[in-house]
Structures are given as C-alpha cells and as structure tokens.
Amino acid sequence: MILELIDGKKISAEIKDELKAEVEELKKQGKEACLAVVLVGDDPASAVYVKNKKKACEYIGVKSLSYELPASTSETELLELIDRLNKDDSVNGILVQLPLPSQIDENKVIRAIAPEKDVDGFHPQNVGALLIGEKGYVSCTPAGVIQLLKRSGVSIEGKECVVIGRSNIVGKPMGVLLLRENGTVTIAHSRTKDLKDICKRADILVAAVGKPKMITEEYIKEGAVVIDVGIHRMDNGKLCGDVDFDRVKDHVSKITPVPGGVGPMTIAMLMNNVVEAVR
Ligand code: NAD
C-alpha cells in the first residue's frame, strides 16, 4: 500500500492564506477583525500557544489584544474583564487560554463569554447549535480534522468513523461533525469494551485519547485513514501522538504525522472563527 501523509502544515498554511486574502477584502468594506487573547498565570505551554495564536493573527491581518494576568487573578477579576470585552464593539472574538488556575471555575468563564464572540466554540450555546445543525462556532481541533480529511480528498459520507475519546473539546464535537458529513459514527472511550474490534471496523479512525502511542496495528483496518489528535512530549524531547506511527504506517492509506498533522490546524481554524465573526 502506498502511504500518504496528510500534511497539516501545508493545509493549515493554505487556509491561513485564504483567510489573509479574505481579511484584506473585508478591510476594503470597512470591516476589521479583532481578537482579545486572555492568558492567566505563567504556564509555559499556554504561553507558547498564546504566542502562536497572536502570530497567526498578525499573519492574516487581524488585530489582537493581549491580556496577561497574574496567576493570583481572582475569578471575579477575570469575569469583569470578560464582561468589558463582551461589551466592547471593537472586539469580535474572545479567547481565554485554558487551563486556568484552580481558584477560577473554567465552566463559569466559558459561559461568561458572549456566544457570538466565543471563537473557541466552547459555550453551551455554540455546542448546542453544532448538535442541532445550526450556525455557530465549532471547536477548532475537530473542525481542523474535517478540513484535513476534505482537503486531502477523503470522503466521509457513508464511511465507518470511529472516534476514540469523548472530551467536550475534541471527542464529542468530532463525532457530531463526522455525523454532519454523513459518516456512520462510533464514539469510543475509557469504558468501551472490545476497543480493538471497534477500531478495526473504522474506515476513518480519529484518536483523541491522550495516551502516547496507544494505537498500534492491532486497532487498524487495512487501508484505513488515521487521524492522530494526540500530542505528547517523549523523554527524548521529541513529540509523538496517540498513534504508534511506525507500527501502523504499513497498514493505513493515509495518516497525519505528529508533529505537523492536526496541531497546526487548530490555530488555522481559530483564525477561521475570528474571520467568521466579522463575515
Ligand atoms: P481528555 O483527556 O479530555 O480525553 C481523553 C478521552 O479519551 C476521554 O474521553 C477518555 O474516555 C478516553 N480514553 C482515555 N483512556 C482511554 C482508553 N484506554 N481507551 C479508550 N478511551 C480512553 O483529552 P482531550 O482534551 O480530548 O485530548 C486528547 C488528546 O489530544 C491529548 O493527547 C491532547 O494533548 C490532544 N489535543 C491536541 C490538540 C491539537 O491541537 N492537536 C488539541 C486538543 C487536544
């Protein structure tokens, strides 16, 4: 079988270039996009994510406002900032980088962001809209997976799709999006019995399980398309996914590498949501 790598770096660059052109057009119509990015505390991984999000804004021509708050910030202080940003007409999108320090209730924060500015797509109103097929912001990582599949010529309609993982930000919206594309969807999780057998049915297997290299050839149907959402740093400093790439590569038709697969798509889809806010 000829193995094809699904190149998330290339596809995300294409999407960002399309958005950049669209932002220019919108500017000619007097419409400007502005994303407010809020970071609380000094988690190094979060700082890198925020930096990359700001860089992407700059690339596509979107203004970004940065709010870097100390780890001691109270819930009330953060909610007050969100309230100000909700009321500020010059701000189209609000992103609060997760995780938040333990004194702040993440669910309260997610619900405080106005749904029409919730470019992460985490607000229950947007999640509900996705479920019933109405317009709303879609969570960026699963939206990125759909783009990876579509832009690499994988048709979803009628396919057996298995998603491993049922988190609110990846697994569940992933299942709903695949269903929306007319896939036949199974969502597997930590209590699933016979996981290998279920995964072996999949024409499209999405691993969002959070366990390094858990998915081996024993989970793969010959010729399947495999999307690896996991990101883990190994002891040798290199990154790996939830899929054991070397063990599955001779059994799949297409697969996303880690790094360079799903990772870069998340930011591209965030940018898409920011532009959507002004469309
Ligand atoms: P999570 O820990 O919230 O969810 C993991 C899910 O996997 C759970 O629903 C659980 O039921 C299931 N699970 C755990 N052990 C299992 C097992 N042994 N068998 C079957 N199912 C099992 O994680 P998450 O936030 O959904 O993220 C999943 C992975 O994706 C992580 O590695 C994370 O780092 C990565 N991630 C990547 C991006 C990106 O941009 N590429 C974005 C978000 C998350």
Side-chain angles (χ1 to χ4, degrees), residues 49 141 164-171 188-192 195 207-211 214 219 228-232 241-242 261-267:
Y49 291 140
T141 301
I164 322 172
R166 58 171 163 187
S167 70
N168 287 338
I169 61 164
V170 189
H189 48 79
S190 53
R191 308 281 178 92
T192 295
L195 182 65
V209 59
K211 299 255 167 0
M214 179 179 132
Y219 294 74
D228 189 353
V229 181
I231 311 179
H232 313 276
D242 291 343
V262 175
M265 293 301 290
T266 301
I267 291 189

Side-chain angles (χ1 to χ4, degrees), residues 160-218:
E160 283 274 355
C161 305
V162 175
V163 179
I164 322 172
R166 58 171 163 187
S167 70
N168 287 338
I169 61 164
V170 189
K172 281 183 205 160
M174 187 73 254
V176 176
L177 285 174
L178 289 164
L179 185 62
R180 195 162 86 175
E181 299 295 331
N182 301 316
T184 302
V185 180
T186 304
I187 301 184
H189 48 79
S190 53
R191 308 281 178 92
T192 295
K193 294 201 176 82
D194 305 323
L195 182 65
K196 284 181 189 168
D197 289 341
I198 288 169
C199 292
K200 264 194 163 294
R201 294 205 307 250
D203 302 309
I204 299 172
L205 180 66
V206 181
V209 59
K211 299 255 167 0
K213 297 192 183 182
M214 179 179 132
I215 306 306
T216 61
E217 72 283 6
E218 295 169 323

